[in-house]
Amino acid sequence: MFSKLLRLLVIGLSVQSSLGAVVADAAAVAPTLINPTVIETPITRKVVTTTTTTTSSTVRPTSVVVYSTSTTKPSSSSSTIKPSSSSTIKPSSSTIKPTSTFTSIIPQPTFNQSDPILDGNRTQDIFADIKGIYGLPGQQEVIRNATLNATNIQGDILIGMKKKLELFYFFHINEPKSFKKKLHVNVVPRITNTLQLLNTASQPVVCLNVAFSQTGLTTLGITDNLMDTPFSQGQTADASNLGDPGTSNWVPEFIGTKIHGVWLIASDTAPNIAAMVNWLEALFGTDMTRIYTLQGNIRPPPFDGHEMFGYLDGISQPAIPGFTINPVPGQQLINPGVILTGEPGDTLIASRPAWAKDGSFLVFRQLKQLVPEFDKYLLNNAPAQPSSYSLQDRADLLGARIMGRWKSGAPTDLTPLVDDPVLGGDPNQNNNFDFDHIGYNINTNQKHCPFGAHIRKSRPRKDLNTPLNAIMRSGIPYGPELSAAEAAQGASSSAPDLERGLAFVSYQSRIDLGFRFIQTQWANSVNFAPGKTPQPGYDLIFGQNNGGPRWMSGADISNPNWILNMFTEFVISRGGEYFYSPSISAIRDVISV
């Protein structure tokens, strides 16, 4: 037996030598995070593939990606990740598609539970300090409140959109029994909880969370009904209901149900992210196959905290008792069970298994944004009024009315005609409005904010009381900044590594009342909010019509009856999946045993 293994190893090493190292795509990192001329411990990966035919329907690994670290300067070497503007890790030979192939694999390096990077001490806050976004509560405040068990809740659920770098690593489980054992013994101690993240001293160098799809839980032997139909069926089955024009624009790896889970890996440097990927892949080896990865990154200053169209994002998050100790003016206060399963306010708490307490359903959507095309659309469709404004000023006003906020984050409901960066940068002011104004009828007045504006469609405030439909958003932009060539041509590049957009993430205790409800009943509905004159139309940012044309009223501040038509989608769904993010105790005591 030993001699056979030795011969396989020699053959494998020979193949590896002939193939060389495969170029890995670099994460787009703000210039403040990585020196543009010297990359410390860059990610490299080596891939060796040998295929034989099998009749098995199980997704098998067609390659193994081994991440290594070394200190080097960028060069043309295929083993070095160069700093680039791309944050999308393209599918490579390590990306698994549903096939009937089996692959023999080069033996993995010896796994070590300890790691010099992962076990290091953090001295700088892992989160970005974004102007206009309210701060997180103090660790001691949450401890004293004692309403929620913050050590049991995975860290990404309640934190929101303040991360600098985040890798979404989608995987398939090949060997459930071995996977569960390693998850229990090795991974559970590394899963980041909420309380850890509220103090720099206790923050890990790299945050790690995990969530599972329905097929993932089933593969691990978990058959309890979590009482969420969209989750049980998967996002592919829901594509047309969400308004996607089928799955023709989807990343192929999202189609179907082969994705069993997602690792959420967050930090502030690319080498840190690489260290966790290397650790996970060395640990699981052939027990797990990487299906697809997407690298998210905060935009460089002065655009940090802004999505790719340029608007400050993450302002209007709900306040959770036990976590949000001091809500800011205008923040929606909801029961914790609207976000966390098994907590007060979870409408299905009596029907769910006891281990589901402190978990949350995670919706992931990769949303591609056509930035130069959107900018061109605003210029071409800017209303003639106010006539004293320049064309660019009128285009900016049109964009603000479509979004409901100026790019600074200032809401048009408070400053209808001009941006107010001071207001936009103040979390005690930029969320303090409700669309209602003295002397105006809330059902006919669009002077301040159009009925179809994105922020009004996604959180109607005084238009309609909706305490059960709140979501906690935890997404991050992906992709490079707009290039000069794209801006000059007014068209996005077709190169895959130049795709940009939003890695949309939302948490809720019910997908059908959270993300899915907001998408289908609000953003996609021309009659929401109800009782308005004229008819509101679509949310032109988030709303979809299965690829068909969309429109909204109220975009022209001087003519509320004017209809703005949009025949092209500037936010394109690239697909996604529905997951469940269990509590840490559920992973330890139920899922991994």
Side-chain angles (χ1 to χ4, degrees), residues 328-349:
V328 296
Q331 196 170 10
Q332 184 183 21
L333 183 64
I334 62 172
N335 288 319
V338 176
I339 306 299
L340 298 167
T341 54
E343 290 286 353
D346 175 6
T347 58
L348 296 175
I349 190 171

Side-chain angles (χ1 to χ4, degrees), residues 40 76 127:
E40 294 185 356
S76 59
F127 297 119

